[in-house]
Amino acid sequence: MKRLILITHDTLADAYLETLHNFLADTSFIRCIGVDARASLEAVQKKLLEEWNENDTFLVLSELSIASSTKVAVNAAKGRPNMYVISGLNMLMLIQFALQPLEADMEAYIKRITADAQADIRYWKQ
């Protein structure tokens, strides 16, 4: 089974999940972890690992590659071949990961979805 974990600063993950409800009724496979300045990184990692199990495929989505939340997720994923950490979270990426079924080739699956999310970033000039 696919599981998504959104790990972001403060309540941003909750806002993403709330917005996702406009596109998807069942979000029971998604969890949010908010990291604030008061949180210890050990406590955040413990919370993340409480969601993990050996049987499911975990996609951990974070908003910034340089954020401590991403570093915690990368550290937690070590030795867990069914946990994938993807940074650069945006709404299109979340929608696609939530709606698209998992594929056997996880690297190709992740590359395709992140490429689509990147392609949605545009510059408009009048």
Side-chain angles (χ1 to χ4, degrees):
M1 183 172 118
K2 174 175 56 179
R3 302 276 309 272
L4 297 181
I5 299 175
L6 311 180
I7 185 166
T8 66
H9 288 91
D10 295 316
T11 59
L12 182 58
D14 296 317
Y16 271 116
L17 183 57
E18 186 176 325
T19 304
L20 185 62
H21 286 121
N22 293 311
F23 302 92
L24 183 66
D26 179 18
T27 59
S28 61
F29 62 100
I30 303 172
R31 297 287 181 266
C32 297
I33 298 175
V35 180
D36 64 29
R38 299 177 310 271
S40 77
L41 298 183
E42 293 81 18
V44 172
Q45 183 168 325
K46 182 180 178 193
K47 189 172 183 178
L48 174 58
L49 290 176
E50 286 172 356
E51 298 293 335
W52 178 81
N53 66 61
E54 294 180 2
N55 301 316
D56 296 327
T57 299
F58 288 81
L59 300 166
V60 182
L61 309 178
S62 69
E63 84 271 31
L64 296 170
S65 62
I66 61 169
S68 57
S69 54
T70 303
K71 292 175 186 172
V72 166
V74 168
N75 192 51
K78 289 179 183 171
R80 293 175 176 82
N82 63 334
M83 184 180 282
Y84 303 87
V85 180
I86 302 104
S87 65
L89 176 61
N90 65 27
M91 199 65 216
L92 181 59
M93 180 192 295
L94 177 56
I95 291 167
Q96 293 229 13
F97 276 124
L99 292 177
Q100 299 297 320
L102 291 173
E103 298 172 6
D105 184 344
M106 285 300 293
E107 187 171 335
Y109 172 75
I110 291 168
K111 283 184 177 182
R112 180 177 49 78
I113 290 176
T114 56
D116 288 348
Q118 282 181 320
D120 193 49
I121 298 170
R122 308 220 176 156
Y123 169 68
W124 303 96
K125 183 180 177 190
Q126 295 191 21

